[in-house]
Amino acid sequence: MGEFQELIRNFDKIRDYMRDFYIYGFKSRSDFTHKSARTYDNEKRRIESYIGEYMKWEYTKSGKNLFISMDCSKVPVNPLYAAWKSKAFTNNDIMLHFYILDALKNKEIFSIDKLTDVICKRSDQIFDIQTVRNKCNEYHTLGLIAAKKQGKSLYYSLSPDNFEHMLTMAPGLSDAVKFFQGATAFGEIGSFIMDNQNTLNGLFSFKHYYAAHTLEDAILLDLLSAIRNGQAIEFLNYNESGTRISTLDGIPLKIFISAATGRRYLCVYKTRTKRFFNYRLDHIKAVKTLGFCNDTKKHYENLMKNLPNIWGVGFGGESRMEIVCMKLSINEETEAYILERIVREGHDGELIRLEPNVFLYTKEMFDSNDISPWLKTFTGRIIQLEGTNQIVIDRFYKDIKRMKEMYGN
């Protein structure tokens, strides 16, 4: 029987479990069917050790449902960052980490042979030269140590580009890191730096803070790297219910972020169908690059030309555009702020005054499904709604009718 370990080897496993059971799913122990009940218990214990104070539960017919609950505006550091700090390591990993940095701490410069000798002498243990070299090369890639070739040999030293050195050059950098860890993607990097400096965030809080999206930052990094390098990709994508996974490919062009939900989407150009598509990042499992694409710039320019014609992330199922016309009753004297809001939020749609206190808003787009939530915010002011996609218009009126039945006149 395997012994429970708090640390993890594969982040995807904890990412999927955290997302499906604690953020989106509100599932119970009986819903866990991938492996044994013991696996469920082990994963639950890991997550409790990371974010125990934010875990809540409620009893339903299906059993005890666990979920994460927090007031993001009052959380100084995203508690889900703890999952990124739980990677398992071997004895050699942790021992060499301290021995190498200790050997180089006084601005020492060593060849790999000399460095290995120093480590073996100080630790009273025997380390293979190739093992030390591999660890040094790893740390050189990470920027922790510098490597300079002299003759035929590489000589290693601590990298001068450390945070302490940068603080002397920019004293306000520590405060910038506190802002960065909460305001941007890859905020876990700022959290790691704050841990290293033993500092806390007492300066910044965010009204709209989407803590759960850190779970897909590894996928985001792979995608941004592919976009920067102009590479086509192949990726695994789950369907909405998470019951089916598909292997897809395309040319990644841009990452879209919803201002309403913080949800992130990958925009790709599908070479086979010659169309743009958007996929939710939290549905993408893994990304593999396929090589450089010569047409990336051309497809990106075409995407930029098409952006004014999408409301959300939908490019529609057909090539023709869809039109939505909304006639509104707005008191020009007391509700001028409504007109300002339409201009601000209306994606450059046309707003004209038909008569006193009556206005017509018209917008052309690829997929009018995306505008429906925004249209419903004008309920009570809409005189008439028309559009070329009759399914969307009928659904709108059906929803209004259902609302009337539920709440009365």
Side-chain angles (χ1 to χ4, degrees):
M1 184 181 298
E3 182 182 353
F4 169 74
Q5 297 288 339
E6 182 175 323
L7 301 179
I8 57 175
R9 296 184 181 276
N10 186 352
F11 182 78
D12 285 342
K13 183 178 180 181
I14 203 73
R15 172 204 182 207
D16 293 344
Y17 187 87
M18 221 180 234
R19 180 190 62 199
D20 295 344
F21 278 79
Y22 292 88
I23 297 173
Y24 302 139
F26 289 85
K27 299 178 181 178
S28 67
R29 192 173 189 263
S30 60
D31 294 313
F32 187 77
T33 58
H34 302 300
K35 291 186 178 181
S36 67
R38 181 176 294 276
T39 300
Y40 171 93
D41 292 335
N42 286 341
E43 299 301 333
K44 175 176 172 289
R45 288 165 64 189
R46 285 192 183 95
I47 296 174
E48 284 179 337
S49 69
Y50 304 154
I51 50 174
E53 63 180 301
Y54 299 103
M55 288 179 61
K56 308 296 181 184
W57 62 85
E58 61 181 15
Y59 287 96
T60 65
K61 293 181 179 179
S62 62
K64 182 179 179 181
N65 287 0
L66 295 158
F67 54 92
I68 296 172
S69 176
M70 66 181 81
D71 182 351
C72 290
S73 66
K74 297 179 181 179
V75 174
V77 176
N78 185 349
L80 299 185
Y81 289 159
W84 290 104
K85 304 170 185 178
S86 59
K87 183 176 176 59
F89 49 81
T90 66
N91 289 339
N92 276 350
D93 283 333
I94 193 66
M95 291 172 67
L96 283 176
H97 172 81
F98 290 106
Y99 287 141
I100 290 174
L101 298 184
D102 181 66
L104 300 175
K105 67 179 180 180
N106 294 321
K107 299 184 179 180
E108 299 282 1
I109 302 176
F110 291 130
S111 67
I112 194 63
D113 294 339
K114 179 63 175 176
L115 180 59
T116 303
D117 289 341
V118 170
I119 291 174
C120 291
K121 183 177 180 180
R122 293 185 181 182
S123 65
D124 199 25
Q125 298 184 51
I126 297 176
F127 288 94
D128 181 75
I129 289 179
Q130 188 58 42
T131 301
V132 179
R133 179 184 284 112
N134 290 341
K135 181 57 67 174
C136 286
N137 289 337
E138 177 188 345
Y139 281 9
H140 174 57
T141 302
L142 294 173
L144 296 176
I145 64 177
K148 185 176 182 180
K149 195 166 186 178
Q150 296 182 14
K152 295 183 179 181
S153 301
L154 281 175
Y155 283 77
Y156 297 95
S157 61
L158 282 182
S159 173
D161 300 324
N162 55 60
F163 195 74
E164 287 79 4
H165 173 71
M166 296 171 69
L167 276 176
T168 62
M169 304 296 292
L173 185 60
S174 181
D175 291 343
V177 169
K178 295 174 185 177
F179 177 79
F180 166 83
Q181 62 82 28
T184 65
F186 311 116
E188 60 271 11
I189 299 173
S191 179
F192 272 103
I193 294 174
M194 289 170 59
D195 289 347
N196 179 265
Q197 298 298 304
N198 197 27
T199 60
L200 300 174
N201 172 34
L203 296 176
F204 302 101
S205 62
F206 302 90
K207 182 179 180 181
H208 302 293
Y209 184 39
Y210 307 103
H213 297 314
T214 183
L215 299 177
E216 65 214 33
D217 275 353
I219 296 296
L220 177 62
L221 179 60
D222 290 339
L223 293 173
L224 291 177
S225 297
I227 292 173
R228 171 177 285 185
N229 296 324
Q231 295 174 308
I233 61 170
E234 180 180 273
F235 59 99
L236 301 179
N237 188 73
Y238 280 103
N239 62 349
E240 193 74 27
S241 62
T243 57
R244 189 180 72 254
I245 189 167
S246 305
T247 301
L248 306 173
D249 60 74
I251 302 170
L253 299 173
K254 198 172 183 65
I255 302 295
F256 292 120
I257 304 176
S258 169
T261 66
R263 184 171 290 154
R264 299 183 288 195
Y265 297 83
L266 165 68
C267 181
V268 300
Y269 179 77
K270 305 281 287 184
T271 54
R272 297 176 186 177
T273 56
K274 297 182 179 180
R275 289 182 59 81
F276 298 108
F277 285 86
N278 283 308
Y279 297 93
R280 283 172 52 172
L281 257 65
D282 57 341
H283 286 178
I284 298 176
K285 178 76 171 178
V287 178
K288 181 176 73 173
T289 57
L290 300 178
F292 180 75
C293 178
N294 293 319
D295 296 329
T296 300
K297 184 177 180 181
K298 179 185 72 175
H299 297 316
Y300 180 80
E301 291 173 350
N302 288 335
L303 173 63
M304 292 298 102
K305 293 177 183 178
N306 282 298
L307 283 187
N309 297 320
I310 65 171
W311 183 273
V313 294
F315 286 94
E318 300 179 8
S319 57
R320 66 183 181 87
M321 303 286 284
E322 298 177 358
I323 299 174
V324 172
C325 297
M326 177 173 59
K327 186 184 292 187
L328 294 162
S329 173
I330 301 174
N331 189 306
E332 297 177 59
E333 293 185 2
T334 62
E335 296 182 325
Y337 64 93
I338 300 295
L339 298 174
E340 294 174 0
R341 181 190 160 210
I342 294 174
V343 173
R344 185 176 66 251
E345 301 176 0
H347 291 218
D348 296 322
E350 183 182 33
L351 181 65
I352 58 176
R353 183 176 183 269
L354 300 179
E355 57 185 82
N357 299 324
V358 178
F359 295 83
L360 179 67
Y361 170 80
T362 305
K363 175 62 181 175
E364 189 177 41
M365 68 200 80
F366 286 121
D367 189 352
S368 53
N369 276 295
D370 287 342
I371 198 176
S372 293
W374 187 72
L375 297 178
K376 291 175 181 177
T377 64
F378 296 98
T379 299
R381 294 185 173 87
I382 299 175
I383 300 172
Q384 185 178 6
L385 183 68
E386 296 180 348
T388 55
N389 188 332
Q390 195 59 42
I391 295 176
V392 173
I393 303 302
D394 291 344
R395 186 187 302 123
F396 174 86
Y397 282 113
K398 182 179 179 181
D399 290 344
I400 296 298
K401 182 179 179 181
R402 289 178 60 193
M403 187 183 302
K404 182 178 180 180
E405 292 171 352
M406 291 174 63
Y407 297 103
N409 294 328

